Amino acid sequence: MYRSNTCGELRISDVGKKVTLAGWVQRSRKLGGMTFIDLRDRYGITQLVVEADADAALVETATALGREFVIQATGTVVERASKNSKIDTGDIEIRLEAINILNKSLTPPFTIEEQSDGGEDIRAKYRYLDLRRAPLKRALELRHRIAHEVRNFLDSKGFLEIETPYLIKSTPEGARDFVVPSRMNPGQFYALPQSPQTFKQLLMVAGYDRYFQIVRCFRDEDLRADRQPEFTQIDCEMSFVEQEDVLNLFEDMMRTLFKNVLDVNIANPIPRMSWYDAMDRYGSDKPDIRFGMEIHEITSLVQGHGFGVFDSVPYVGAIAVPGAAAYTRKQTDELTEWVKRPQVGAKGLVYIKLNEDGSTKSSVDKFYSEDELRKIAAGVEANTGDLILVLCGEKRKAQTQLGVLRVEMGGRLGLRDPKVFAPLWIVDFPLLEWSEEDGRFYAMHHPFTAPKPEHLDWFYSDKKEDLERVCANAYDFVLNGNELGGGSIRIHEAAVQERMFQVLGIGKEEAEYKFGFIINAFKFGAPPHGGLAFGFDRTCALFGGQETIRDYIAFPKNNQGRDVMIDAPSKIDDVQMDELFLASTVNEENA
Amino acid sequence: MYRSNTCGELRISDVGKKVTLAGWVQRSRKLGGMTFIDLRDRYGITQLVVEADADAALVETATALGREFVIQATGTVVERASKNSKIDTGDIEIRLEAINILNKSLTPPFTIEEQSDGGEDIRAKYRYLDLRRAPLKRALELRHRIAHEVRNFLDSKGFLEIETPYLIKSTPEGARDFVVPSRMNPGQFYALPQSPQTFKQLLMVAGYDRYFQIVRCFRDEDLRADRQPEFTQIDCEMSFVEQEDVLNLFEDMMRTLFKNVLDVNIANPIPRMSWYDAMDRYGSDKPDIRFGMEIHEITSLVQGHGFGVFDSVPYVGAIAVPGAAAYTRKQTDELTEWVKRPQVGAKGLVYIKLNEDGSTKSSVDKFYSEDELRKIAAGVEANTGDLILVLCGEKRKAQTQLGVLRVEMGGRLGLRDPKVFAPLWIVDFPLLEWSEEDGRFYAMHHPFTAPKPEHLDWFYSDKKEDLERVCANAYDFVLNGNELGGGSIRIHEAAVQERMFQVLGIGKEEAEYKFGFIINAFKFGAPPHGGLAFGFDRTCALFGGQETIRDYIAFPKNNQGRDVMIDAPSKIDDVQMDELFLASTVNEENA
């Protein structure tokens, strides 16, 4: 062992001990003939001192140390004259007797500090240096801790972690698969799993009634910001359970995680909200309930007053932004431009100010009397000093736009504190989504999601409006405006599954081709079952108080799906292509 | 919840309770008007009874139950008249009041029993049914338990589990990579990792001084029996350690696993043996030391007696098979044929019997006197009643053949008890292997393995014989004749690494091309580090007392790398090929 102690553990009680530390030179400075070295490892920073009157060779070595040199240093723990209360080892320092340079270092291309001076690209290229920074170290330590707590919790509840294969079969629906050509089976491909969904359901058929896995998943999507082509899921499934059992168990898991990892007590019970309520009140199926500012429908209050924009739409809704009545014309104009951006997509924005002096001011003053504006304000539950923001249009679309605006205003008002954790369950999702474009229903979750037993009459109805109101036994776990997880009770009865395929317009042959082996497996005694999966990367990020996942993944890819550190993907040689019976169709100009 | 209890938990103390169980019908039989049903779930089997005088509908339902039907059954726990001591619930049965058929089942294509009547192929196709069998359930439960214990142990020692990427860069050396075409980077490919070797070394550079991961690895090899294209590793790395630190820590881990999982106390300390000793004494770098029967060199004892076969070879070795002197001519002939099989590859077999009556009998009697045979016997440490088996040839080749023969004889004599666990460390591996064919050295482990510091003079020598005797700081963990794990201290100094490439005949440009980014990373302060990896599938199998890994993997592939259950790999459609800029070069006749 190269060290007797880490750089994070020595305290005032260790004074007098002879110790050997090993680590990286964070910084080194001369002060009145003495050399001070901050030595860093995973556990902390310890100050080393070479006295002015120390051995000349030692002084010389200490003086020549560069940033990020790896050294082994031996000396005696002494009490510091000027203590540093910012670090755990700040009461002591090591008076050195020997320094052994284990490895030199080139000067790193950016500073290895809490805040680095390096840009994102250079830090990605030298990820192994960026990972030395304390924020990333804390992120990966947090990730380890959460994974460990998840496993301990689920193990204590009788769950088995069972590894499912990564080389599976390409599935013809859902997002794009990454595929893997098989050399031993020419012309054939494996696919990398988008999730272990099929396998976990097979494990239920096989009788493993409590399964989980912290597992990598792969999706070949055009990457939006903060998406990764490979990501990690906490994947779970249970048999002989109803929705209530699943919700209770994973609510318990989340509560345990928050308590054990962050020492935070989250709501007990975690609130539940129907999908319909979430859309109506928050304009989102993943509402951020850290703050109110709920959406109110005011259609009946505003129509019939001669304002054509409102009269010509099916829905008018509004939020009351607390204390924002003092917004200037410039500010409301800016907000109007903001909601008209394609990311939001509103046609315009109407505002009503409930001024502190009791007066009102609105962008539609000429259509509504002071009294009518007050009635609208009452409908939005607005108070004096609030700014009411109104959007209109098709109901769900306008609600969604109001939802985006609400979150933006919450952010501007500082109501989205990352240290506050407001989880909730979204339940009662619609089972089906009608596509106007394709003139058919699609499964909102996936075709194996069970309809609510009390909605089976509608499910077997031929009327579109009946089918549209069938709810699924599906649920999402939402935290601070992020969907952290979701799942459903699955269909386990052949007749219900057949009806589902019928509703989705999937014929017998097509069903057999696409889902044949799982349908077949279900003929041999499938138990009632259900489960869910949590996005592990985002869970870690939110626990860490961050919105972006990249720092919580040791070696992430960029928005083009590239690992710029190792420069992957890359070309492979012709021999390899030949062995795989593949030819590239890339033109030189595309490549 | 569909049940109040599992099928494994009710005891005599529960008599009188009203319970609901859910599970699969293992079997159902009529006896004097009563119907007995064995209900099975993951936790056990409980006997259900429908009395002859029960409700007629209930009797009818019970009578109609088929094998593997999924039912929910409610009734009262009663004491059994005739107890079954073979199962934990054998003291009680449930007198039923209601049966709810949750799902029917087709008749399974093979019996779901401890020993199934199904062949390997049909069980592979219906893996989800085979997984219902108790031996597979025990295997997957054991696997979960071992993984959990590994994580608890390493967590307690300050290790962080850090996930490394699965979509990485194709490496030009080692076994073949599976590759993944990138749609977003036309003409380029990711590779699936053969191991996280590079990334774990980068994590050491990044300062994460205790890393581990239970991680999937991929190798596109022509599959030998009991190899899988994807397999799982317990992958570990540490910084600021020497070989002794690594061995001690993982010895501790293994001892803890054996104790906590199997309640077995393995040797403390675990014995260590140099690679040279292992080859000389056991003819294997993974010796099975559950039994003796060591190899002895007898070259000097047998040469010069006119037996041309022995006189013309550099090495003659032998083992003494205890108590096998009574082998018949037919048996020794069969052994001779056995060693001449290509899998062993010996030219012939010489035997010497030390008969119980004190006489000797040998296949080379005409070249050796009784006295000379006794001297040979003494050299092999043989006793009266033993059968001495002699092979000869090039030293390592003959030793390897003797090693194979030794293991075979150990098996025939019942000396390889799977309940006995005899671990050992193999150390002091040669750093380099000379290839006569290529006229160059190859790294025995990999090019980053460090030479022993005390052998650095030889390492820098130009003489082949010096280089051949350089030992590596490398080690294997061997259990019962299987290599369970292995690793090494890595090179962390640029000068040593450069010399290594020079010895391996890898030029600067080639090194840069193949290992560029890791060499570059090492310039920024690489700490001394080392680690190892355990084969997790085999660890589980050996803990379970099995030699084959297939039952310890939930969804394994067959010897052609196929998952016959889901029928993967398979063809993908042309649209997908086009999106990936790929064309197949498979002729219809190859496909």
Side-chain angles (χ1 to χ4, degrees):
Chain A
M1 196 71 86
Y2 282 76
R3 62 188 174 196
S4 63
N5 295 83
T6 71
C7 296
E9 69 178 320
L10 294 170
R11 299 287 182 275
I12 194 82
S13 57
D14 296 303
V15 164
K17 282 187 191 157
K18 185 154 178 182
V19 298
T20 300
L21 303 185
W24 287 262
V25 174
Q26 177 77 24
R27 66 182 68 80
S28 159
R29 59 203 180 282
K30 280 258 180 193
L31 209 70
M34 291 158 80
T35 312
F36 292 92
I37 301 156
D38 282 354
L39 193 67
R40 187 196 69 234
D41 67 11
R42 190 185 121 197
Y43 310 91
I45 287 180
T46 299
Q47 179 163 289
L48 315 177
V49 193
V50 176
E51 304 282 354
D53 60 356
D55 174 79
L58 178 60
V59 173
E60 195 182 340
T61 304
T63 307
L65 291 177
R67 267 171 61 206
E68 301 304 319
F69 275 35
V70 186
I71 65 167
Q72 185 182 33
T74 301
T76 306
V77 183
V78 298
E79 185 170 358
R80 272 210 218 181
S82 61
K83 299 198 168 55
N84 178 352
S85 62
K86 285 187 200 151
I87 58 174
D88 292 338
T89 62
D91 287 352
I92 57 98
E93 60 193 10
I94 316 295
R95 189 169 298 155
L96 290 195
E97 288 145 38
I99 292 176
N100 176 17
I101 296 179
L102 297 172
N103 228 337
K104 296 187 174 185
S105 173
L106 298 180
T107 304
F110 48 83
T111 56
I112 315 282
E113 303 281 353
E114 183 76 23
Q115 298 285 343
S116 176
D117 63 356
E120 201 167 309
D121 290 348
I122 188 93
R123 285 188 291 116
K125 181 163 186 223
Y126 294 90
R127 182 72 174 179
Y128 46 88
L129 297 180
D130 205 24
L131 283 169
R132 287 184 187 167
R133 294 172 49 233
L136 279 90
K137 192 204 66 173
R138 289 195 300 268
L140 294 190
E141 283 178 345
L142 179 69
R143 187 177 176 113
H144 165 78
R145 183 53 41 212
I146 296 173
H148 200 68
E149 290 288 340
V150 166
R151 287 192 164 100
N152 282 342
F153 177 85
L154 292 174
D155 178 70
S156 79
K157 299 292 180 189
F159 282 74
L160 297 177
E161 184 159 24
I162 298 176
E163 294 170 62
T164 53
Y166 282 129
L167 295 173
I168 65 164
K169 189 175 181 162
S170 195
T171 46
E173 223 152 276
R176 271 194 204 85
D177 289 317
F178 281 106
V179 295
V180 182
S182 167
R183 183 179 54 84
M184 288 173 67
N185 301 275
Q188 300 188 12
F189 294 74
Y190 302 99
L192 300 178
Q194 297 184 30
S195 89
Q197 184 67 32
T198 307
F199 289 95
K200 72 175 173 177
Q201 293 195 243
L202 288 175
L203 284 171
M204 294 306 110
V205 174
Y208 294 77
D209 59 2
R210 293 189 160 206
Y211 145 92
F212 85 102
Q213 194 182 185
I214 300 185
V215 62
R216 204 71 53 85
C217 301
F218 304 86
R219 270 178 216 176
D220 184 13
E221 294 176 310
D222 297 315
L223 298 172
R224 282 181 277 162
D226 216 30
R227 286 280 186 116
Q228 290 281 321
E230 52 177 314
F231 56 96
T232 302
Q233 232 173 244
I234 307 171
D235 191 52
C236 309
E237 196 81 3
M238 304 168 77
S239 291
F240 303 119
V241 290
E242 288 155 328
Q243 173 168 310
E244 194 63 24
D245 305 312
V246 179
L247 297 191
N248 287 338
L249 193 132
F250 289 96
E251 182 163 333
D252 189 6
M253 181 179 93
M254 274 302 181
R255 193 171 300 115
T256 305
L257 283 188
F258 273 103
K259 185 66 195 168
N260 291 359
V261 176
L262 297 180
D263 198 23
V264 162
N265 295 302
I266 56 167
N268 186 4
I270 291 176
R272 297 183 189 180
M273 192 184 294
S274 81
W275 180 87
Y276 295 92
D277 263 10
M279 291 306 297
D280 288 347
R281 292 166 53 194
Y282 297 95
S284 168
D285 57 3
K286 40 180 195 280
D288 186 343
I289 58 167
R290 282 175 295 184
F291 61 100
M293 218 191 286
E294 290 187 22
I295 298 168
H296 295 266
E297 174 162 11
I298 52 169
T299 317
S300 62
L301 293 172
V302 297
Q303 287 188 338
H305 292 266
F307 183 41
V309 172
F310 285 169
D311 286 348
S312 65
V313 292
Y315 174 91
V316 185
I319 57 173
V321 185
Y327 262 40
T328 61
R329 175 66 187 263
K330 194 177 155 193
Q331 284 176 299
T332 53
D333 282 354
E334 184 270 332
L335 271 185
T336 306
E337 290 312 307
W338 192 88
V339 299
K340 285 162 87 175
R341 291 158 62 239
Q343 294 93 321
V344 187
K347 293 247 166 62
L349 177 72
V350 165
Y351 68 83
I352 305 168
K353 292 178 180 173
L354 305 183
N355 296 323
E356 290 290 352
D357 65 6
S359 68
T360 61
K361 171 81 186 112
S362 151
S363 51
V364 288
D365 278 345
K366 62 176 156 175
F367 299 104
Y368 303 95
S369 68
E370 179 101 8
D371 198 44
E372 284 159 352
L373 290 176
R374 291 203 184 285
K375 277 190 188 145
I376 294 170
V380 188
E381 294 180 14
N383 298 311
T384 300
D386 289 0
L387 172 69
I388 298 170
L389 299 175
V390 186
L391 295 177
C392 67
E394 190 275 315
K395 180 178 170 186
R396 294 291 180 222
K397 203 168 157 189
Q399 284 177 338
T400 303
Q401 293 164 351
L402 278 163
V404 174
L405 179 60
R406 173 184 170 272
V407 168
E408 172 69 16
M409 297 313 292
R412 292 190 187 193
L413 266 58
L415 301 173
R416 307 183 67 210
D417 182 351
K419 305 271 178 195
V420 172
F421 298 98
L424 82 160
W425 290 107
I426 302 296
V427 294
D428 299 341
F429 281 81
L431 180 71
L432 302 160
E433 253 179 330
W434 179 259
S435 163
E436 281 300 341
E437 202 175 321
D438 301 349
R440 57 161 278 201
F441 278 112
Y442 284 94
M444 192 145 178
H445 275 69
H446 55 63
F448 301 102
T449 302
K452 280 193 174 292
E454 59 268 36
H455 291 183
L456 278 179
D457 281 352
W458 292 336
F459 183 59
Y460 282 95
S461 160
D462 288 335
K463 292 186 194 145
K464 184 173 157 231
E465 58 271 29
D466 283 341
L467 286 165
E468 272 181 325
R469 55 183 170 164
V470 177
C471 281
N473 261 330
Y475 31 81
D476 276 356
F477 184 89
V478 170
L479 180 68
N480 294 2
N482 295 276
E483 181 205 322
L484 268 200
S488 63
I489 299 297
R490 328 298 181 184
I491 299 170
H492 71 281
E493 290 159 304
V496 179
Q497 189 65 62
E498 260 173 49
R499 171 61 185 162
M500 186 70 175
F501 286 141
Q502 189 186 30
V503 168
L504 297 177
I506 299 176
K508 276 219 163 145
E509 236 174 76
E510 191 184 352
E512 177 60 32
Y513 172 72
K514 287 184 174 174
F515 308 108
F517 85 90
I518 179 106
I519 294 173
N520 204 39
F522 272 56
K523 292 178 184 158
F524 290 93
H529 63 287
L532 82 181
F534 291 94
F536 185 55
D537 305 307
R538 188 156 306 282
T539 299
C540 294
L542 286 178
F543 269 66
Q546 301 292 325
E547 294 273 331
T548 58
I549 61 176
R550 202 161 289 175
D551 282 355
Y552 291 80
I553 298 170
F555 299 101
K557 299 202 169 40
N558 73 8
N559 282 345
Q560 284 76 49
R562 295 200 70 83
D563 182 329
V564 295
M565 178 186 72
I566 60 172
D567 193 27
S570 60
K571 294 201 177 185
I572 59 175
D573 62 33
D574 293 342
V575 177
Q576 228 169 333
M577 290 292 277
D578 289 347
E579 282 186 340
L580 296 170
F581 297 89
L582 287 180
S584 172
T585 63
V586 181
N587 297 324
E588 278 311 306
E589 64 237 75
N590 297 343
Chain B
M1 195 71 87
Y2 282 77
R3 62 188 173 197
S4 64
N5 295 84
T6 71
C7 295
E9 67 178 322
L10 294 170
R11 298 287 183 274
I12 195 82
S13 58
D14 296 303
V15 165
K17 282 188 191 156
K18 185 155 178 180
V19 297
T20 301
L21 303 186
W24 287 261
V25 174
Q26 178 77 24
R27 65 182 69 80
S28 158
R29 59 203 181 282
K30 280 258 180 194
L31 208 70
M34 292 157 79
T35 311
F36 291 91
I37 300 155
D38 282 355
L39 192 68
R40 187 196 69 234
D41 67 9
R42 191 185 120 196
Y43 309 92
I45 287 180
T46 298
Q47 179 163 289
L48 315 177
V49 194
V50 176
E51 304 283 353
D53 59 356
D55 175 78
L58 177 59
V59 172
E60 195 183 340
T61 305
T63 308
L65 292 176
R67 267 171 59 207
E68 302 304 319
F69 275 36
V70 186
I71 65 168
Q72 186 181 32
T74 300
T76 307
V77 182
V78 297
E79 186 170 358
R80 272 210 217 180
S82 61
K83 299 196 168 55
N84 178 352
S85 62
K86 286 186 199 152
I87 58 173
D88 292 339
T89 63
D91 287 351
I92 58 96
E93 61 193 11
I94 316 296
R95 189 171 298 155
L96 290 194
E97 289 145 36
I99 293 176
N100 175 18
I101 295 179
L102 297 171
N103 228 335
K104 296 186 176 186
S105 173
L106 299 180
T107 304
F110 48 85
T111 56
I112 315 281
E113 304 281 353
E114 182 76 23
Q115 297 285 342
S116 175
D117 63 355
E120 201 168 306
D121 290 349
I122 188 91
R123 286 189 291 115
K125 182 165 181 203
Y126 294 90
R127 182 71 174 180
Y128 47 87
L129 297 181
D130 206 23
L131 283 169
R132 287 184 188 167
R133 293 173 50 233
L136 278 90
K137 192 204 67 174
R138 290 194 300 267
L140 294 189
E141 283 177 347
L142 179 69
R143 187 177 175 112
H144 166 78
R145 183 55 39 213
I146 296 173
H148 201 68
E149 290 289 340
V150 166
R151 288 191 163 101
N152 282 341
F153 177 86
L154 292 174
D155 179 70
S156 79
K157 298 293 180 188
F159 282 75
L160 296 177
E161 184 159 25
I162 299 175
E163 294 169 62
T164 53
Y166 282 128
L167 295 173
I168 64 163
K169 188 174 181 163
S170 196
T171 46
E173 221 151 280
R176 271 195 204 86
D177 289 318
F178 282 106
V179 296
V180 182
S182 167
R183 184 178 54 84
M184 288 173 67
N185 302 275
Q188 300 188 14
F189 293 75
Y190 301 99
L192 299 178
Q194 298 184 30
S195 88
Q197 183 67 33
T198 308
F199 289 94
K200 72 175 173 177
Q201 293 195 243
L202 288 175
L203 284 171
M204 295 305 111
V205 175
Y208 294 77
D209 60 2
R210 294 190 160 205
Y211 145 92
F212 86 102
Q213 195 182 184
I214 300 185
V215 62
R216 205 72 53 85
C217 302
F218 304 85
R219 270 176 217 176
D220 184 13
E221 293 177 309
D222 297 316
L223 298 173
R224 282 181 277 161
D226 216 31
R227 285 280 187 117
Q228 291 281 321
E230 52 177 313
F231 54 96
T232 303
Q233 233 173 244
I234 307 170
D235 191 52
C236 309
E237 196 81 4
M238 304 168 77
S239 290
F240 303 119
V241 290
E242 288 154 328
Q243 173 168 310
E244 194 62 24
D245 305 312
V246 178
L247 296 192
N248 286 339
L249 193 131
F250 289 97
E251 181 162 332
D252 190 7
M253 181 179 94
M254 275 300 179
R255 192 171 301 113
T256 305
L257 283 188
F258 273 103
K259 185 67 194 167
N260 291 359
V261 176
L262 298 181
D263 198 23
V264 162
N265 295 301
I266 57 167
N268 187 3
I270 291 176
R272 297 184 190 180
M273 193 184 292
S274 81
W275 181 87
Y276 295 92
D277 264 10
M279 290 307 296
D280 288 347
R281 291 166 54 193
Y282 297 94
S284 169
D285 57 4
K286 40 180 194 280
D288 187 343
I289 59 166
R290 281 175 295 183
F291 61 100
M293 220 192 285
E294 290 188 20
I295 297 166
H296 294 266
E297 174 163 10
I298 53 169
T299 317
S300 63
L301 292 172
V302 297
Q303 287 187 339
H305 293 267
F307 183 41
V309 171
F310 285 170
D311 286 348
S312 65
V313 294
Y315 175 89
V316 186
I319 57 171
V321 185
Y327 262 40
T328 61
R329 175 65 187 264
K330 195 176 153 196
Q331 284 176 297
T332 54
D333 282 355
E334 184 270 330
L335 271 185
T336 306
E337 289 313 308
W338 193 87
V339 299
K340 286 162 86 174
R341 292 157 62 238
Q343 294 93 321
V344 187
K347 293 247 166 62
L349 177 71
V350 166
Y351 69 83
I352 304 168
K353 292 177 181 174
L354 305 183
N355 296 324
E356 290 290 352
D357 65 4
S359 67
T360 62
K361 170 81 188 107
S362 152
S363 53
V364 288
D365 278 345
K366 63 174 157 178
F367 299 106
Y368 302 95
S369 68
E370 179 100 7
D371 198 43
E372 284 159 352
L373 291 175
R374 291 201 184 287
K375 277 191 188 144
I376 294 169
V380 189
E381 294 179 17
N383 297 313
T384 300
D386 288 1
L387 172 68
I388 298 170
L389 299 174
V390 186
L391 294 176
C392 67
E394 190 275 315
K395 181 178 169 185
R396 292 292 180 221
K397 203 168 157 189
Q399 284 176 337
T400 303
Q401 292 164 351
L402 277 163
V404 174
L405 179 60
R406 174 184 170 271
V407 168
E408 172 69 15
M409 297 313 293
R412 292 189 187 194
L413 266 58
L415 301 173
R416 307 184 66 209
D417 181 352
K419 305 271 177 192
V420 172
F421 298 98
L424 82 161
W425 290 106
I426 302 295
V427 295
D428 299 342
F429 281 80
L431 180 71
L432 302 160
E433 253 178 330
W434 179 259
S435 162
E436 281 300 342
E437 202 176 319
D438 300 349
R440 57 160 279 199
F441 278 111
Y442 283 93
M444 192 146 179
H445 274 68
H446 56 64
F448 300 103
T449 302
K452 281 193 172 292
E454 58 268 36
H455 292 182
L456 279 179
D457 281 351
W458 293 335
F459 183 60
Y460 282 95
S461 161
D462 288 335
K463 292 185 193 148
K464 183 171 161 236
E465 58 271 29
D466 283 342
L467 287 165
E468 273 181 323
R469 56 183 171 163
V470 176
C471 281
N473 261 331
Y475 32 81
D476 277 356
F477 184 88
V478 170
L479 180 68
N480 294 1
N482 295 276
E483 181 203 322
L484 268 200
S488 63
I489 299 297
R490 328 297 182 185
I491 299 170
H492 71 281
E493 291 159 303
V496 178
Q497 190 65 61
E498 260 173 49
R499 170 62 184 162
M500 186 69 174
F501 287 140
Q502 188 186 34
V503 168
L504 297 177
I506 300 175
K508 276 222 161 140
E509 236 174 78
E510 190 184 353
E512 178 61 31
Y513 173 71
K514 288 186 174 172
F515 310 108
F517 84 89
I518 179 105
I519 294 173
N520 203 39
F522 272 55
K523 291 177 185 158
F524 290 93
H529 63 287
L532 83 180
F534 290 96
F536 186 54
D537 305 305
R538 188 155 307 281
T539 298
C540 295
L542 286 178
F543 269 66
Q546 301 291 326
E547 293 274 330
T548 57
I549 62 176
R550 203 161 289 177
D551 282 355
Y552 291 80
I553 299 170
F555 299 101
K557 299 201 170 43
N558 73 7
N559 283 344
Q560 284 76 50
R562 294 199 71 82
D563 183 328
V564 294
M565 179 186 72
I566 60 171
D567 193 27
S570 60
K571 295 201 175 184
I572 59 175
D573 62 33
D574 293 343
V575 178
Q576 227 169 336
M577 290 292 277
D578 289 346
E579 282 186 341
L580 296 170
F581 298 89
L582 288 179
S584 172
T585 63
V586 181
N587 297 324
E588 279 310 307
E589 64 237 75
N590 296 344

